[in-house]
Amino acid sequence: GAVVSQHPSWVICKSGTSVKIECRSLDFQATTMFWYRQFPKQSLMLMATSNEGSKATYEQGVEKDKFLINHASLTLSTLTVTSAHPEDSSFYICSASRQGPETQYFGPGTRLLVL
Amino acid sequence: AQKITQTQPGMFVQEKEAVTLDCTYDTSDQSYGLFWYKQPSSGEMIFLIYQGSYDEQNATEGRYSLNFQKARKSANLVISASQLGDSAMYFCAMREGGGNQFYFGTGTSLTVIP
């Protein structure tokens, strides 16, 4: 199967610090990776789409300087929440897709709590 | 207009009974894909089933089947013989054409009652 890992699964940090979340496709090469944010009891909100070696495409309303995305290789994408504030506390999920009519494979998610 | 509509915020089903979770979609593309995901309280998104717009047969995966009615633009998920472990949020999603972006519905919370 297609496995996507995400690290860390939980992070608690102080306001003002930066937090990096890694998303890896373990057994396939991901042409595209996606970053979502989910608030409690709500649907997934797409934040950005990234392709290996190119700049991420951010959804409207998502601050590029706040949420830095780097897609360094076909198996790794990182999301850095810069100068995190309590309102950035959320559940962040990444997903990866291969070429073709396939589903997105999701990571297990990262719960971020900013104090 | 919403691309994916799930009108049931919450559903209850008796253990061992079947349940249908509704999903309607909106697209002008001829080629698209429809997906269902399960999200338990742990948060991970578990892929359940896929239906392509050109697939003539309804998709089935074990106890999951997708009731695809193209003319009505509906893609309902049917779970047969419900189990306690089926209690979770269920999301319907669509991908249009050759694109990669998924559009998610607002989800349905399913509770299986013993």
PDB file of all heavy atoms in Angstrom, chain A residues 52-80:
ATOM      1  N   GLU A  52       7.287  18.686  -6.170  1.00  0.00           N
ATOM      2  CA  GLU A  52       8.712  18.592  -5.898  1.00  0.00           C
ATOM      3  C   GLU A  52       9.505  19.561  -6.758  1.00  0.00           C
ATOM      4  O   GLU A  52       9.301  19.623  -7.984  1.00  0.00           O
ATOM      5  CB  GLU A  52       9.194  17.155  -6.129  1.00  0.00           C
ATOM      6  CG  GLU A  52      10.658  16.929  -5.790  1.00  0.00           C
ATOM      7  CD  GLU A  52      11.547  16.980  -7.030  1.00  0.00           C
ATOM      8  OE1 GLU A  52      11.032  16.839  -8.147  1.00  0.00           O
ATOM      9  OE2 GLU A  52      12.760  17.172  -6.861  1.00  0.00           O
ATOM     10  N   GLY A  53      10.333  20.343  -6.106  1.00  0.00           N
ATOM     11  CA  GLY A  53      11.227  21.245  -6.815  1.00  0.00           C
ATOM     12  C   GLY A  53      10.631  22.556  -7.231  1.00  0.00           C
ATOM     13  O   GLY A  53      11.319  23.379  -7.851  1.00  0.00           O
ATOM     14  N   SER A  54       9.388  22.780  -6.922  1.00  0.00           N
ATOM     15  CA  SER A  54       8.783  24.062  -7.300  1.00  0.00           C
ATOM     16  C   SER A  54       8.098  24.690  -6.100  1.00  0.00           C
ATOM     17  O   SER A  54       7.878  24.040  -5.080  1.00  0.00           O
ATOM     18  CB  SER A  54       7.802  23.884  -8.459  1.00  0.00           C
ATOM     19  OG  SER A  54       6.762  23.024  -8.084  1.00  0.00           O
ATOM     20  N   LYS A  55       7.762  25.963  -6.255  1.00  0.00           N
ATOM     21  CA  LYS A  55       7.124  26.671  -5.146  1.00  0.00           C
ATOM     22  C   LYS A  55       5.718  26.150  -4.920  1.00  0.00           C
ATOM     23  O   LYS A  55       5.013  25.776  -5.858  1.00  0.00           O
ATOM     24  CB  LYS A  55       7.068  28.172  -5.446  1.00  0.00           C
ATOM     25  CG  LYS A  55       8.411  28.869  -5.381  1.00  0.00           C
ATOM     26  CD  LYS A  55       8.255  30.367  -5.570  1.00  0.00           C
ATOM     27  CE  LYS A  55       9.600  31.071  -5.436  1.00  0.00           C
ATOM     28  NZ  LYS A  55       9.466  32.542  -5.611  1.00  0.00           N
ATOM     29  N   ALA A  56       5.309  26.181  -3.671  1.00  0.00           N
ATOM     30  CA  ALA A  56       3.971  25.719  -3.335  1.00  0.00           C
ATOM     31  C   ALA A  56       2.923  26.711  -3.825  1.00  0.00           C
ATOM     32  O   ALA A  56       3.176  27.918  -3.931  1.00  0.00           O
ATOM     33  CB  ALA A  56       3.854  25.537  -1.827  1.00  0.00           C
ATOM     34  N   THR A  57       1.767  26.185  -4.125  1.00  0.00           N
ATOM     35  CA  THR A  57       0.612  27.014  -4.497  1.00  0.00           C
ATOM     36  C   THR A  57      -0.309  27.102  -3.289  1.00  0.00           C
ATOM     37  O   THR A  57      -0.837  26.088  -2.833  1.00  0.00           O
ATOM     38  CB  THR A  57      -0.145  26.392  -5.682  1.00  0.00           C
ATOM     39  OG1 THR A  57       0.748  26.261  -6.784  1.00  0.00           O
ATOM     40  CG2 THR A  57      -1.320  27.274  -6.074  1.00  0.00           C
ATOM     41  N   TYR A  58      -0.480  28.321  -2.786  1.00  0.00           N
ATOM     42  CA  TYR A  58      -1.265  28.509  -1.575  1.00  0.00           C
ATOM     43  C   TYR A  58      -2.717  28.861  -1.923  1.00  0.00           C
ATOM     44  O   TYR A  58      -2.999  29.540  -2.905  1.00  0.00           O
ATOM     45  CB  TYR A  58      -0.667  29.641  -0.735  1.00  0.00           C
ATOM     46  CG  TYR A  58       0.650  29.271  -0.091  1.00  0.00           C
ATOM     47  CD1 TYR A  58       1.846  29.328  -0.816  1.00  0.00           C
ATOM     48  CD2 TYR A  58       0.708  28.866   1.232  1.00  0.00           C
ATOM     49  CE1 TYR A  58       3.051  28.983  -0.237  1.00  0.00           C
ATOM     50  CE2 TYR A  58       1.910  28.535   1.831  1.00  0.00           C
ATOM     51  CZ  TYR A  58       3.082  28.591   1.085  1.00  0.00           C
ATOM     52  OH  TYR A  58       4.268  28.244   1.673  1.00  0.00           O
ATOM     53  N   GLU A  59      -3.600  28.391  -1.081  1.00  0.00           N
ATOM     54  CA  GLU A  59      -5.008  28.737  -1.237  1.00  0.00           C
ATOM     55  C   GLU A  59      -5.233  30.178  -0.762  1.00  0.00           C
ATOM     56  O   GLU A  59      -4.468  30.726   0.049  1.00  0.00           O
ATOM     57  CB  GLU A  59      -5.882  27.779  -0.457  1.00  0.00           C
ATOM     58  CG  GLU A  59      -5.838  26.355  -0.993  1.00  0.00           C
ATOM     59  CD  GLU A  59      -6.332  26.247  -2.421  1.00  0.00           C
ATOM     60  OE1 GLU A  59      -7.491  26.624  -2.684  1.00  0.00           O
ATOM     61  OE2 GLU A  59      -5.544  25.792  -3.275  1.00  0.00           O
ATOM     62  N   GLN A  60      -6.298  30.738  -1.271  1.00  0.00           N
ATOM     63  CA  GLN A  60      -6.628  32.117  -0.902  1.00  0.00           C
ATOM     64  C   GLN A  60      -6.821  32.223   0.608  1.00  0.00           C
ATOM     65  O   GLN A  60      -7.495  31.382   1.217  1.00  0.00           O
ATOM     66  CB  GLN A  60      -7.919  32.532  -1.627  1.00  0.00           C
ATOM     67  CG  GLN A  60      -8.194  34.011  -1.599  1.00  0.00           C
ATOM     68  CD  GLN A  60      -9.356  34.390  -2.496  1.00  0.00           C
ATOM     69  OE1 GLN A  60     -10.082  33.535  -2.971  1.00  0.00           O
ATOM     70  NE2 GLN A  60      -9.528  35.681  -2.723  1.00  0.00           N
ATOM     71  N   GLY A  61      -6.222  33.242   1.165  1.00  0.00           N
ATOM     72  CA  GLY A  61      -6.368  33.472   2.602  1.00  0.00           C
ATOM     73  C   GLY A  61      -5.299  32.821   3.451  1.00  0.00           C
ATOM     74  O   GLY A  61      -5.247  33.068   4.659  1.00  0.00           O
ATOM     75  N   VAL A  62      -4.463  31.998   2.850  1.00  0.00           N
ATOM     76  CA  VAL A  62      -3.385  31.356   3.604  1.00  0.00           C
ATOM     77  C   VAL A  62      -2.118  32.191   3.444  1.00  0.00           C
ATOM     78  O   VAL A  62      -1.685  32.468   2.324  1.00  0.00           O
ATOM     79  CB  VAL A  62      -3.139  29.916   3.099  1.00  0.00           C
ATOM     80  CG1 VAL A  62      -1.970  29.277   3.858  1.00  0.00           C
ATOM     81  CG2 VAL A  62      -4.392  29.088   3.244  1.00  0.00           C
ATOM     82  N   GLU A  63      -1.526  32.581   4.573  1.00  0.00           N
ATOM     83  CA  GLU A  63      -0.346  33.444   4.533  1.00  0.00           C
ATOM     84  C   GLU A  63       0.899  32.646   4.165  1.00  0.00           C
ATOM     85  O   GLU A  63       1.319  31.752   4.903  1.00  0.00           O
ATOM     86  CB  GLU A  63      -0.147  34.081   5.904  1.00  0.00           C
ATOM     87  CG  GLU A  63      -1.275  34.983   6.364  1.00  0.00           C
ATOM     88  CD  GLU A  63      -0.999  35.491   7.767  1.00  0.00           C
ATOM     89  OE1 GLU A  63       0.030  36.165   7.959  1.00  0.00           O
ATOM     90  OE2 GLU A  63      -1.803  35.200   8.674  1.00  0.00           O
ATOM     91  N   LYS A  64       1.502  32.996   3.058  1.00  0.00           N
ATOM     92  CA  LYS A  64       2.689  32.291   2.583  1.00  0.00           C
ATOM     93  C   LYS A  64       3.857  32.443   3.543  1.00  0.00           C
ATOM     94  O   LYS A  64       4.648  31.516   3.732  1.00  0.00           O
ATOM     95  CB  LYS A  64       3.114  32.836   1.215  1.00  0.00           C
ATOM     96  CG  LYS A  64       2.077  32.696   0.143  1.00  0.00           C
ATOM     97  CD  LYS A  64       2.562  33.307  -1.148  1.00  0.00           C
ATOM     98  CE  LYS A  64       1.471  33.276  -2.201  1.00  0.00           C
ATOM     99  NZ  LYS A  64       1.906  33.839  -3.482  1.00  0.00           N
ATOM    100  N   ASP A  65       3.979  33.622   4.131  1.00  0.00           N
ATOM    101  CA  ASP A  65       5.115  33.869   5.022  1.00  0.00           C
ATOM    102  C   ASP A  65       4.910  33.221   6.389  1.00  0.00           C
ATOM    103  O   ASP A  65       5.849  33.062   7.153  1.00  0.00           O
ATOM    104  CB  ASP A  65       5.330  35.368   5.200  1.00  0.00           C
ATOM    105  CG  ASP A  65       5.709  36.042   3.897  1.00  0.00           C
ATOM    106  OD1 ASP A  65       6.312  35.350   3.037  1.00  0.00           O
ATOM    107  OD2 ASP A  65       5.395  37.232   3.726  1.00  0.00           O
ATOM    108  N   LYS A  66       3.697  32.898   6.681  1.00  0.00           N
ATOM    109  CA  LYS A  66       3.357  32.282   7.949  1.00  0.00           C
ATOM    110  C   LYS A  66       3.539  30.767   7.872  1.00  0.00           C
ATOM    111  O   LYS A  66       4.042  30.139   8.785  1.00  0.00           O
ATOM    112  CB  LYS A  66       1.907  32.603   8.286  1.00  0.00           C
ATOM    113  CG  LYS A  66       1.367  31.961   9.529  1.00  0.00           C
ATOM    114  CD  LYS A  66       1.907  32.659  10.734  1.00  0.00           C
ATOM    115  CE  LYS A  66       1.198  32.214  11.971  1.00  0.00           C
ATOM    116  NZ  LYS A  66       1.831  32.804  13.166  1.00  0.00           N
ATOM    117  N   PHE A  67       3.106  30.211   6.794  1.00  0.00           N
ATOM    118  CA  PHE A  67       3.141  28.766   6.591  1.00  0.00           C
ATOM    119  C   PHE A  67       4.076  28.468   5.420  1.00  0.00           C
ATOM    120  O   PHE A  67       3.680  28.493   4.253  1.00  0.00           O
ATOM    121  CB  PHE A  67       1.744  28.227   6.316  1.00  0.00           C
ATOM    122  CG  PHE A  67       0.760  28.468   7.430  1.00  0.00           C
ATOM    123  CD1 PHE A  67      -0.142  29.527   7.362  1.00  0.00           C
ATOM    124  CD2 PHE A  67       0.745  27.661   8.557  1.00  0.00           C
ATOM    125  CE1 PHE A  67      -1.049  29.758   8.387  1.00  0.00           C
ATOM    126  CE2 PHE A  67      -0.151  27.888   9.592  1.00  0.00           C
ATOM    127  CZ  PHE A  67      -1.045  28.939   9.504  1.00  0.00           C
ATOM    128  N   LEU A  68       5.326  28.176   5.777  1.00  0.00           N
ATOM    129  CA  LEU A  68       6.338  27.934   4.750  1.00  0.00           C
ATOM    130  C   LEU A  68       6.339  26.459   4.360  1.00  0.00           C
ATOM    131  O   LEU A  68       6.433  25.587   5.223  1.00  0.00           O
ATOM    132  CB  LEU A  68       7.719  28.324   5.275  1.00  0.00           C
ATOM    133  CG  LEU A  68       7.902  29.790   5.674  1.00  0.00           C
ATOM    134  CD1 LEU A  68       9.310  30.014   6.208  1.00  0.00           C
ATOM    135  CD2 LEU A  68       7.631  30.708   4.500  1.00  0.00           C
ATOM    136  N   ILE A  69       6.249  26.206   3.082  1.00  0.00           N
ATOM    137  CA  ILE A  69       6.226  24.824   2.606  1.00  0.00           C
ATOM    138  C   ILE A  69       7.420  24.599   1.697  1.00  0.00           C
ATOM    139  O   ILE A  69       7.691  25.364   0.785  1.00  0.00           O
ATOM    140  CB  ILE A  69       4.909  24.530   1.866  1.00  0.00           C
ATOM    141  CG1 ILE A  69       3.758  24.527   2.863  1.00  0.00           C
ATOM    142  CG2 ILE A  69       4.990  23.186   1.132  1.00  0.00           C
ATOM    143  CD1 ILE A  69       2.398  24.454   2.243  1.00  0.00           C
ATOM    144  N   ASN A  70       8.105  23.512   1.990  1.00  0.00           N
ATOM    145  CA  ASN A  70       9.264  23.109   1.187  1.00  0.00           C
ATOM    146  C   ASN A  70       9.069  21.670   0.739  1.00  0.00           C
ATOM    147  O   ASN A  70       8.826  20.785   1.565  1.00  0.00           O
ATOM    148  CB  ASN A  70      10.552  23.243   2.005  1.00  0.00           C
ATOM    149  CG  ASN A  70      11.774  22.930   1.172  1.00  0.00           C
ATOM    150  OD1 ASN A  70      12.021  21.783   0.839  1.00  0.00           O
ATOM    151  ND2 ASN A  70      12.516  23.946   0.821  1.00  0.00           N
ATOM    152  N   HIS A  71       9.146  21.441  -0.550  1.00  0.00           N
ATOM    153  CA  HIS A  71       8.995  20.086  -1.095  1.00  0.00           C
ATOM    154  C   HIS A  71      10.337  19.694  -1.684  1.00  0.00           C
ATOM    155  O   HIS A  71      10.567  19.821  -2.875  1.00  0.00           O
ATOM    156  CB  HIS A  71       7.896  20.102  -2.158  1.00  0.00           C
ATOM    157  CG  HIS A  71       7.391  18.750  -2.511  1.00  0.00           C
ATOM    158  ND1 HIS A  71       6.117  18.544  -2.983  1.00  0.00           N
ATOM    159  CD2 HIS A  71       7.962  17.536  -2.470  1.00  0.00           C
ATOM    160  CE1 HIS A  71       5.936  17.266  -3.230  1.00  0.00           C
ATOM    161  NE2 HIS A  71       7.041  16.621  -2.926  1.00  0.00           N
ATOM    162  N   ALA A  72      11.197  19.213  -0.801  1.00  0.00           N
ATOM    163  CA  ALA A  72      12.606  19.032  -1.155  1.00  0.00           C
ATOM    164  C   ALA A  72      12.846  17.859  -2.085  1.00  0.00           C
ATOM    165  O   ALA A  72      13.788  17.853  -2.870  1.00  0.00           O
ATOM    166  CB  ALA A  72      13.429  18.861   0.123  1.00  0.00           C
ATOM    167  N   SER A  73      12.019  16.836  -1.965  1.00  0.00           N
ATOM    168  CA  SER A  73      12.227  15.647  -2.797  1.00  0.00           C
ATOM    169  C   SER A  73      10.871  15.014  -3.082  1.00  0.00           C
ATOM    170  O   SER A  73       9.841  15.488  -2.609  1.00  0.00           O
ATOM    171  CB  SER A  73      13.123  14.648  -2.070  1.00  0.00           C
ATOM    172  OG  SER A  73      12.421  14.042  -1.008  1.00  0.00           O
ATOM    173  N   LEU A  74      10.901  13.932  -3.852  1.00  0.00           N
ATOM    174  CA  LEU A  74       9.645  13.259  -4.194  1.00  0.00           C
ATOM    175  C   LEU A  74       9.066  12.473  -3.027  1.00  0.00           C
ATOM    176  O   LEU A  74       7.998  11.879  -3.152  1.00  0.00           O
ATOM    177  CB  LEU A  74       9.860  12.323  -5.382  1.00  0.00           C
ATOM    178  CG  LEU A  74       9.954  13.005  -6.748  1.00  0.00           C
ATOM    179  CD1 LEU A  74      10.396  12.020  -7.814  1.00  0.00           C
ATOM    180  CD2 LEU A  74       8.627  13.641  -7.126  1.00  0.00           C
ATOM    181  N   THR A  75       9.761  12.490  -1.906  1.00  0.00           N
ATOM    182  CA  THR A  75       9.237  11.761  -0.744  1.00  0.00           C
ATOM    183  C   THR A  75       9.122  12.619   0.503  1.00  0.00           C
ATOM    184  O   THR A  75       8.713  12.119   1.553  1.00  0.00           O
ATOM    185  CB  THR A  75      10.132  10.545  -0.418  1.00  0.00           C
ATOM    186  OG1 THR A  75      11.459  11.010  -0.130  1.00  0.00           O
ATOM    187  CG2 THR A  75      10.160   9.554  -1.571  1.00  0.00           C
ATOM    188  N   LEU A  76       9.461  13.893   0.417  1.00  0.00           N
ATOM    189  CA  LEU A  76       9.474  14.719   1.629  1.00  0.00           C
ATOM    190  C   LEU A  76       8.949  16.120   1.351  1.00  0.00           C
ATOM    191  O   LEU A  76       9.391  16.800   0.429  1.00  0.00           O
ATOM    192  CB  LEU A  76      10.888  14.814   2.194  1.00  0.00           C
ATOM    193  CG  LEU A  76      11.088  15.788   3.369  1.00  0.00           C
ATOM    194  CD1 LEU A  76      10.287  15.323   4.587  1.00  0.00           C
ATOM    195  CD2 LEU A  76      12.567  15.907   3.721  1.00  0.00           C
ATOM    196  N   SER A  77       8.003  16.524   2.180  1.00  0.00           N
ATOM    197  CA  SER A  77       7.538  17.906   2.188  1.00  0.00           C
ATOM    198  C   SER A  77       7.491  18.368   3.639  1.00  0.00           C
ATOM    199  O   SER A  77       7.183  17.573   4.533  1.00  0.00           O
ATOM    200  CB  SER A  77       6.147  18.028   1.562  1.00  0.00           C
ATOM    201  OG  SER A  77       5.670  19.358   1.633  1.00  0.00           O
ATOM    202  N   THR A  78       7.826  19.632   3.862  1.00  0.00           N
ATOM    203  CA  THR A  78       7.782  20.157   5.228  1.00  0.00           C
ATOM    204  C   THR A  78       6.918  21.409   5.266  1.00  0.00           C
ATOM    205  O   THR A  78       6.896  22.198   4.328  1.00  0.00           O
ATOM    206  CB  THR A  78       9.185  20.502   5.758  1.00  0.00           C
ATOM    207  OG1 THR A  78       9.783  21.475   4.902  1.00  0.00           O
ATOM    208  CG2 THR A  78      10.062  19.265   5.830  1.00  0.00           C
ATOM    209  N   LEU A  79       6.224  21.538   6.385  1.00  0.00           N
ATOM    210  CA  LEU A  79       5.431  22.732   6.667  1.00  0.00           C
ATOM    211  C   LEU A  79       6.014  23.379   7.913  1.00  0.00           C
ATOM    212  O   LEU A  79       6.126  22.718   8.949  1.00  0.00           O
ATOM    213  CB  LEU A  79       3.966  22.366   6.905  1.00  0.00           C
ATOM    214  CG  LEU A  79       3.071  23.449   7.507  1.00  0.00           C
ATOM    215  CD1 LEU A  79       2.880  24.590   6.520  1.00  0.00           C
ATOM    216  CD2 LEU A  79       1.714  22.881   7.912  1.00  0.00           C
ATOM    217  N   THR A  80       6.413  24.617   7.800  1.00  0.00           N
ATOM    218  CA  THR A  80       6.924  25.343   8.959  1.00  0.00           C
ATOM    219  C   THR A  80       5.944  26.450   9.314  1.00  0.00           C
ATOM    220  O   THR A  80       5.664  27.317   8.477  1.00  0.00           O
ATOM    221  CB  THR A  80       8.314  25.945   8.670  1.00  0.00           C
ATOM    222  OG1 THR A  80       9.223  24.892   8.311  1.00  0.00           O
ATOM    223  CG2 THR A  80       8.857  26.669   9.895  1.00  0.00           C
TER     224      THR A  80
END
